[in-house]
């Protein structure tokens, strides 16, 4: 159930990113997209990977909490909260897209600027899940 929902969100998100980028609304100001100044194609792929990773980590945290395991629970909660805060722009973008709401240029730029930090926050959860 969770994976199907994530897949719907990812597909909608990817469609929106592609539409945005094709329309020219998110033209990079200094030679590339995102913090790594990637090509358009590389940036789209990377953002999709980050979104999937962040959703996977959220799903795994939920499953662990529901299983009743208390090991590293406080550290995991803090890391998950940090990830949610760091990935807020990415999640807002996906949510607005799914609901058919407009997405401002400033939100597009915030997603572009925060993608790497979101990825790092999601990756910080991985060792806590083991």
């Amino acid at each position: 159930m969770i994976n199907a929902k994530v897949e719907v969100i990812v597909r909608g998100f990817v469609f929106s990113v592609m539409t945005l980028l094709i329309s020219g609304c998110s033209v990079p100001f200094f030679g590339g997209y995102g913090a790594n100044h990637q090509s358009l194609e590389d940036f789209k792929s990377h953002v999709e990977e980050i979104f999937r990773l962040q959703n996977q980590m959220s799903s795994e945290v939920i499953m662990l909490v529901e299983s009743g395991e208390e090991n590293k629970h406080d550290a995991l909660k803090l890391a998950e909260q940090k990830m949610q805060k760091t990935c807020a722009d990415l999640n807002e973008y996906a949510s607005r897209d799914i609901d058919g709401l407009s997405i401002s240029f400033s939100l597009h730029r915030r997603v572009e600027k925060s993608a790497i930090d979101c990825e790092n926050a999601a990756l910080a959860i991985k060792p806590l899940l083991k």
Side-chain angles (χ1 to χ4, degrees):
M1 175 76 177
I2 292 175
N3 288 337
K5 187 175 182 179
V6 169
E7 188 65 30
V8 169
I9 291 170
V10 169
R11 286 177 189 236
F13 178 76
V14 170
F15 176 77
S16 294
V17 169
M18 289 173 51
T19 301
L20 166 73
L21 296 174
I22 290 169
S23 71
C25 293
S26 182
V27 177
F29 294 119
F30 299 105
Y33 293 86
N36 294 333
H37 306 290
Q38 298 169 301
S39 70
L40 174 59
E41 196 60 38
D42 289 344
F43 179 73
K44 289 189 307 185
S45 294
H46 192 208
V47 169
E48 181 179 347
E49 289 171 16
I50 293 168
F51 188 75
R52 286 178 188 262
L53 173 66
Q54 183 253 326
N55 278 288
Q56 177 189 357
M57 293 299 100
S58 290
S59 296
E60 290 184 27
V61 167
I62 289 168
M63 288 188 291
L64 184 66
V65 169
E66 288 178 356
S67 74
E69 290 186 37
E70 295 296 325
N71 298 352
K72 302 179 187 176
H73 200 67
D74 290 337
L76 187 58
K77 279 183 185 178
L78 290 174
E80 204 268 339
Q81 288 171 353
K82 179 180 179 183
M83 181 186 70
Q84 291 302 324
K85 183 178 179 182
T86 305
C87 299
D89 291 327
L90 181 63
N91 289 320
E92 179 183 351
Y93 183 100
S95 178
R96 293 186 67 80
D97 180 61
I98 289 167
D99 293 340
L101 301 173
S102 64
I103 300 169
S104 68
F105 177 74
S106 65
L107 179 57
H108 288 285
R109 293 291 294 156
R110 290 193 317 265
V111 169
E112 185 178 347
K113 290 179 179 182
S114 66
I116 297 296
D117 291 337
C118 177
E119 179 180 34
N120 290 334
L123 289 171
I125 291 176
K126 271 189 172 186
L128 299 174
L129 292 169
K130 296 182 179 190

